[in-house]
Amino acid sequence: MSAVLALRPADECRFDLVSLGEVMLRLDPGEGRIETTRSFTAWEGGGEYNVARGLKRCFGLRTAIVTALADNAVGRLIDDLIYQGGVERAHLGWIPDDGVGREVRNGLNFTERGFGVRGAVGVSDRGHTAASQMRPGDVGWEQIFGRDGARWLHCGGIFAALSETTADVALEAMEAARRHGTIVSYDLNYRPSLWKSIGGRARAAEVNRRLVEHVDVLLGNEEDFSAALGFEIEGVDENLLHLDLDAYARLLEQVLAAYPRLAVVATTLREVRSATVNDWSAVCRTRDGFHVGPRYESLEILDRVGGGDSFASGLFYGLLHGWDPERSIAYGVAHGALAMTTPGDTSMATVAEVERLVGGGSARVQR
């Protein structure tokens, strides 16, 4: 039994965490701009996948992905990148390629890191993707949660927004996880562009409210709780330069009160001084109280994309070990901070680096 969660024993499960979500090919122009570059660096990435990868590569846990890819050279490239990240495939649906992508394709995500007064920019190209066409019945959840065993299922609002069917797949996964005593986490991750053509904020709130009823650990930021669940936060500066901890404490208390199954609600706090200088922290609320993580002021950012996912993997690492909320959130904040010092969506940090930062270590050269 953890301090806040009732976890399945590790020795009864093949996986510590299984993520359900789309894995895209991220195309990164480095220090340049998407519209003027002549070369891109290729990475893999996806909100749900990034959490599984961080738990595997940084923290050494046994993680897996449930997803689908179009069976062509781009899909095989994404698959090869997943191999390099060490994440297993609990289910990878290979969808036959039609030759030009009229019926099925793989998602692309063009992402600028930003610098100074120029913010990060993301341009998604993910219509008709294999993952968006996943439907209930495609995945053998009884194999994953029953015969193999998984201690934790993670999904999010990005996957739920991909199509009219993916939210039903997420619900199917959550219900199967519940039957087998698997902890369920969900990152609201509201993206206006994904909901724009399928009902906007009203539809996002409708879908997410239905899913959050089945969730133990909920993540989101101030926009997520407002747009994706309908909770308003007072006292937060529109430009996110001054964040009121009391306002966040009230918000998270309201969310916990509205969803009796929830055990933990957490949010990162990012005060944006510029694209490359942020103040960075996080808070969470459990049934026992409000917990504030360490604060890194004037944190220098190389690539902010994926920082929240790396926070999640650090937080989950602590909770999976039965640690108290304060220690768990400290690992999350430190891992997110380190992940934003390297390029790409995914973490290149080591657990030793996380522990050193949690312990108050500096950035002095290591020889």
Side-chain angles (χ1 to χ4, degrees), residues 22 67-71 93-95 103-107 126-134 138:
E22 181 167 60
T67 194
L69 294 169
D71 193 357
W94 286 106
I95 312 303
E103 297 178 1
V104 65
R105 53 196 296 273
N106 296 297
R126 63 196 306 177
H128 309 292
T129 60
S132 75
Q133 297 180 44
M134 293 177 69
D138 286 352

Side-chain angles (χ1 to χ4, degrees), residues 5 14 29 52 60 101 123 139 161 171 178 205 256 265 279 308 329 334 354:
L5 299 171
R14 176 179 174 183
V123 179
V139 180
L171 180 60
R178 295 248 70 87
L256 271 184
V265 185
D279 294 342
I329 201 171
V354 173

Side-chain angles (χ1 to χ4, degrees), residues 268-322:
T268 56
L269 304 179
R270 185 193 296 271
E271 297 173 82
V272 181
R273 307 298 172 185
S274 73
T276 36
V277 177
N278 295 178
D279 294 342
W280 171 253
S281 185
V283 295
C284 77
R285 181 173 280 281
T286 67
R287 297 292 170 181
D288 295 327
F290 183 65
H291 310 278
V292 180
R295 177 180 171 88
Y296 299 108
E297 295 189 358
S298 299
L299 181 69
E300 293 178 286
I301 308 292
L302 178 65
D303 185 347
R304 67 169 281 170
V305 178
D309 301 328
S310 294
F311 162 76
S313 58
L315 174 70
F316 297 173
Y317 176 70
L319 295 175
L320 279 161
H321 280 75

Side-chain angles (χ1 to χ4, degrees), residues 43-295:
W43 315 88
E44 88 281 23
E48 298 85 6
Y49 165 79
N50 295 342
V51 176
R53 192 186 186 282
L55 276 167
K56 171 60 179 178
R57 294 293 289 173
C58 179
F59 297 106
L61 297 192
R62 305 161 299 165
T63 65
I65 184 72
V66 173
T67 194
L69 294 169
D71 193 357
N72 57 28
V74 176
R76 296 293 171 176
L77 170 58
I78 296 171
D79 188 38
D80 188 61
L81 291 165
I82 295 172
Y83 270 113
Q84 293 179 47
V87 177
E88 291 190 58
R89 292 137 189 78
H91 171 90
L92 203 171
W94 286 106
I95 312 303
D97 180 30
D98 61 45
V100 295
R102 288 190 184 95
E103 297 178 1
V104 65
R105 53 196 296 273
N106 296 297
L108 305 178
N109 185 21
F110 298 83
T111 306
E112 293 180 13
R113 303 174 198 169
F115 187 87
V117 295
R118 176 172 60 85
V121 175
V123 179
S124 294
D125 181 14
R126 63 196 306 177
H128 309 292
T129 60
S132 75
Q133 297 180 44
M134 293 177 69
R135 287 172 168 75
D138 286 352
V139 180
W141 298 115
E142 288 303 309
Q143 175 69 44
I144 294 170
F145 296 120
R147 290 182 285 278
D148 288 341
R151 305 181 75 204
W152 194 296
L153 167 70
H154 180 63
C155 191
I158 293 176
F159 180 74
L162 292 182
S163 71
E164 296 291 342
T165 62
T166 50
D168 293 332
V169 176
L171 180 60
E172 178 186 55
M174 291 176 179
E175 290 175 341
R178 295 248 70 87
R179 290 194 296 271
H180 292 283
T182 298
I183 295 298
V184 176
S185 62
Y186 189 79
D187 191 333
L188 291 166
N189 254 338
Y190 177 72
R191 298 289 186 270
S193 59
L194 293 179
W195 293 100
K196 182 178 180 180
S197 64
I198 57 173
R201 289 175 62 139
R203 178 60 176 161
E206 177 186 352
V207 169
N208 283 295
R209 285 170 182 159
R210 179 172 60 129
L211 294 175
V212 172
E213 291 177 356
H214 301 272
V215 171
D216 300 291
V217 180
L218 181 65
L219 306 176
N221 61 27
E222 58 286 327
E223 181 184 18
D224 295 334
F225 288 113
S226 173
L229 279 185
F231 291 90
E232 297 297 332
I233 182 171
E234 299 176 357
V236 174
D237 173 21
E238 181 179 352
N239 296 314
L240 302 183
L241 292 177
H242 303 287
L243 303 182
D244 180 357
L245 289 181
D246 290 336
Y248 280 91
R250 292 190 297 270
L251 171 68
L252 301 188
E253 184 175 19
Q254 291 172 24
V255 176
L256 271 184
Y259 295 95
R261 187 182 293 276
L262 284 176
V264 181
V265 185
T267 180
T268 56
L269 304 179
R270 185 193 296 271
E271 297 173 82
V272 181
R273 307 298 172 185
S274 73
T276 36
V277 177
N278 295 178
D279 294 342
W280 171 253
S281 185
V283 295
C284 77
R285 181 173 280 281
T286 67
R287 297 292 170 181
D288 295 327
F290 183 65
H291 310 278
V292 180
R295 177 180 171 88

